[in-house]
Amino acid sequence: MDTSFALVAARGPMSAILAWLMPMIAAAFLVVPTPAHACVLCLPYPQETNADQVIGSGTAVFAGENPAKPFSYVVQETFKGHYDGSAIPLFLDSMTGRALRLNSTLRVILVQNRPDGIWRALGLAGSEYQGVMRQLADWDAGSKTPAERAIFFAPYLRHEDRRLAELAFLEVGRAPYATLRNLKINVGRDDIYRIVNDFFHAEWHGLYILMLGTSDRPDDIAFVRAKLKTAAKYALTTNLAAYATALIEMTGADGVSRLAEEYFVKSGRSNGELLEIVKALSVQGTGGAVELQPSIIDAYGRLLAVHPELAGYVANDLFAWKVTRFVPRLREIFNAGVGLDEASRFAVAAYLSSADDGGSSEGGLAPSDDLR
C-alpha cells in the first residue's frame, strides 16, 4: 500500500477516500468555474483580439489596394518588423476595396507571424485605429497585464470609430473586475445607458451593466433593481449575473441578502438562475467588494442548506477564503453524493481535504470563527 495513503487512511474512511481522490483534485479548480474576471459575467470573447495578433506578430503592415492589380494588396506602411517586399497572397474582396476607395485614410491591417509565414488580414483601420496599432507594435507578448491593457483601451470605448470601440470593448471585457470598478471615469453614464438599452449591442450589455454598478445615484440603483425584479419574476438568466453584481456594488450587504432571499431560499429556482447569482457573489467576494465576504459566506450557507447539488460551485471560494465554517455541511453533502457531478465532488473533496490536513488548529484553513 502507498505509504501516504496508509497514513491518511488511518484517520478514517472519509480521509482515505480523499487521499484516493487527491491526484485528481487539482483538476477540479480547472473544471468547476471560479469567476474572477469580468468576462465571466458577459458573453464569451474571442481567444485573440486584433491587439493580440499585432503584439504576437513578427511583421505588421498597413495596406491598400494595388492600383496595378485589382483585388490584391500593396503595402503602404510597415509599422512592425521587416517587410521583404514580396507579393502578399491575399485576396482583397470587393467590399473592402470599395471602402478603401471611398475613404483615402482607411488601411487594412495585415500581419505575418514569421518570415515566409502566412499573412492574415485583420480588417480596416481608420487614422486613430492605426495610431493605436503603432503603439501596440512596441509591446511584447505578456508585457502588459489584462488590467493594464484595459486601462489603455478604456478611453476608446465610446470612440466614434466603431471598429476601434469594438476592440476596446473586447480588451476591457477581459479585465479583472477590480479594474472595471475604477473605469467609470472613462465611460459616461449616458453612454452606458445608450448601450444597455440598445438591442443591437446586446453582446455589450454585460460589461456596461458592471460599469453602471459603480454609480451611487438613486435612479441608477432603481434601474438595476427593476431589471432584477423582472428577471426574478420571469426566471430570466440573460445578464442576471451582471445585474446582481451591480446591485451588490451599489447596495453592499443589503444587496447580498436580498439576492440570497430571492434566489437561494425561495423554491422553484433553476440551477441556471442560481449559478448566475453565485457568479456575482464570487466575483464580488474575490475581486470586488471583498469586505462583503462575511455576508457572501452567509449567503453561501443559505444556498448549501437548500441546494446541496451546487456545493462544488462555492467550495472553491470557501477554500480560497480559508473558511472552515461549512466543513460539516460539505462533508455531509460529499458523503451523500446526491446531485454532485465529478468536478463538483473534486472541488468539495479538495476543500475537505485541506480542512483534514490543517483544520482550524494546525494551519491550513483558518479557524472557523475568522469568517462568520
Side-chain angles (χ1 to χ4, degrees):
M1 177 184 291
D2 179 77
T3 304
S4 60
F5 180 84
L7 290 173
V8 179
R11 301 178 188 172
M14 179 63 192
S15 293
I17 293 172
L18 293 175
W20 176 74
L21 286 172
M22 282 308 293
M24 299 176 284
I25 280 175
F29 294 92
L30 300 176
V31 178
V32 177
T34 302
H37 295 165
C39 58
V40 301
L41 304 181
C42 311
L43 294 181
Y45 300 100
Q47 290 187 345
E48 288 189 318
T49 66
N50 281 1
D52 294 321
Q53 296 278 2
V54 169
I55 293 168
S57 69
T59 302
V61 304
F62 296 126
E65 185 172 20
N66 187 343
K69 189 179 180 182
F71 307 110
S72 66
Y73 289 102
V74 61
V75 172
Q76 296 172 324
E77 178 188 341
T78 301
F79 65 96
K80 181 177 182 181
H82 173 71
Y83 168 56
D84 62 10
S86 59
I88 296 177
L90 292 178
F91 177 77
L92 192 157
D93 64 89
S94 57
M95 185 175 294
T96 301
R98 184 171 183 272
L100 291 171
R101 289 189 292 274
L102 290 175
N103 187 339
S104 61
T105 66
L106 286 178
R107 299 289 184 269
V108 177
I109 307 168
L110 304 178
V111 296
Q112 185 184 42
N113 287 340
R114 64 181 188 280
D116 299 322
I118 296 174
W119 283 95
R120 297 185 65 181
L122 304 184
L124 291 163
S127 298
E128 288 199 56
Y129 199 150
Q130 294 168 40
V132 169
M133 293 294 105
R134 293 186 187 98
Q135 294 182 67
L136 299 182
D138 293 329
W139 293 9
D140 295 323
S143 64
K144 303 289 184 182
T145 65
E148 290 171 330
R149 287 172 67 146
I151 292 169
F152 174 83
F153 279 101
Y156 300 105
L157 280 168
R158 49 182 175 173
H159 199 278
E160 60 183 11
D161 183 335
R162 178 181 56 83
R163 299 177 186 88
L164 183 50
E166 288 177 353
L167 175 62
F169 167 76
L170 294 172
E171 288 287 334
V172 172
R174 300 194 299 189
Y177 179 67
T179 301
L180 293 184
R181 299 177 83 197
N182 300 318
L183 289 182
K184 59 182 177 180
I185 58 172
N186 293 308
V187 181
R189 181 172 171 272
D190 290 343
D191 292 300
I192 290 174
Y193 274 105
R194 176 176 57 80
I195 295 295
V196 169
N197 291 314
D198 182 359
F199 174 79
F200 294 102
H201 282 84
E203 72 277 14
W204 294 41
H205 289 180
L207 177 59
Y208 280 77
I209 292 165
L210 297 182
M211 293 181 185
L212 183 63
T214 62
S215 170
D216 58 2
R217 293 174 54 125
D219 51 343
D220 294 337
I221 297 173
F223 175 84
V224 169
R225 281 178 168 157
K227 289 291 187 180
L228 284 168
K229 183 177 180 180
T230 300
K233 181 178 180 180
Y234 296 105
L236 304 177
T237 57
T238 301
N239 292 319
L240 176 58
Y243 277 117
T245 302
L247 180 71
I248 296 169
E249 192 70 50
M250 291 168 153
T251 63
D254 179 68
V256 174
S257 178
R258 286 175 181 268
L259 290 168
E261 193 71 33
E262 180 64 50
Y263 285 93
F264 295 168
V265 177
K266 290 185 179 180
S267 61
R269 293 297 181 193
S270 68
N271 278 5
E273 293 173 90
L274 297 173
L275 289 177
E276 292 302 298
I277 302 303
V278 169
K279 286 180 186 179
L281 296 175
S282 182
V283 164
Q284 285 287 16
T286 301
V290 294
E291 69 276 6
L292 295 178
Q293 276 187 11
S295 297
I296 293 170
I297 291 165
D298 285 341
Y300 281 169
R302 303 177 83 173
L303 177 71
L304 292 172
V306 183
H307 300 281
E309 71 277 7
L310 298 181
Y313 291 88
V314 302
N316 290 342
D317 283 343
L318 299 176
F319 178 93
W321 301 345
K322 303 184 187 303
V323 181
T324 58
R325 171 177 165 184
F326 299 114
V327 167
R329 177 58 177 153
L330 285 173
R331 196 181 303 280
E332 178 185 7
I333 292 170
F334 184 90
N335 287 336
V338 178
L340 294 182
D341 57 26
E342 279 193 51
S344 294
R345 283 183 63 81
F346 292 161
V348 174
Y351 171 79
L352 294 174
S353 178
S354 182
D356 284 348
D357 289 344
S360 60
S361 60
E362 299 178 23
L365 295 184
S368 58
D369 59 352
D370 275 12
L371 286 172
R372 293 184 184 274

